[in-house]
């Protein structure tokens, strides 16, 4: 669990989409190698981070306390 402020690191230009547990898109951004994310104003709970580019897609879970 974290406080909603974290960094996502990527190996190339990527799109980052963050979804709430019920599937609603709550955040999106483009980045080159790193993106600072601030979800501290969002409610506590589980969120899913999708990071993708032309060749790869990865999903991670983050828990906001």
């Amino acid at each position: 669990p974290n406080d909603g402020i974290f960094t996502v690191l990527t190996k190339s230009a990527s799109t980052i989409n963050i979804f709430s547990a019920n599937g609603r898109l709550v955040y999106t951004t483009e980045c080159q190698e790193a993106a600072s994310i601030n979800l501290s104003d969002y409610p506590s709970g589980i969120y899913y981070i999708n990071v993708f580019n032309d060749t790869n897609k990865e999903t991670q879970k983050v828990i906001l306390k």
Side-chain angles (χ1 to χ4, degrees):
N2 71 51
D3 60 2
I5 299 172
F6 53 92
T7 301
V8 176
L9 301 175
T10 65
K11 294 182 180 179
S12 63
S14 300
T15 300
I16 299 171
N17 291 327
I18 301 178
F19 296 88
S20 63
N22 64 4
R24 186 174 63 98
L25 179 65
V26 297
Y27 185 92
T28 188
T29 191
E30 304 283 329
C31 74
Q32 291 300 314
E33 294 180 359
S36 295
I37 309 291
N38 185 345
L39 299 180
S40 61
D41 291 335
Y42 289 86
S44 298
I46 298 172
Y47 293 83
Y48 295 93
I49 304 169
N50 291 335
V51 179
F52 62 94
N53 57 32
D54 292 335
T55 58
N56 296 311
K57 180 179 180 184
E58 184 174 342
T59 301
Q60 295 288 323
K61 179 172 65 172
V62 64
I63 301 171
L64 302 186
K65 48 179 166 170

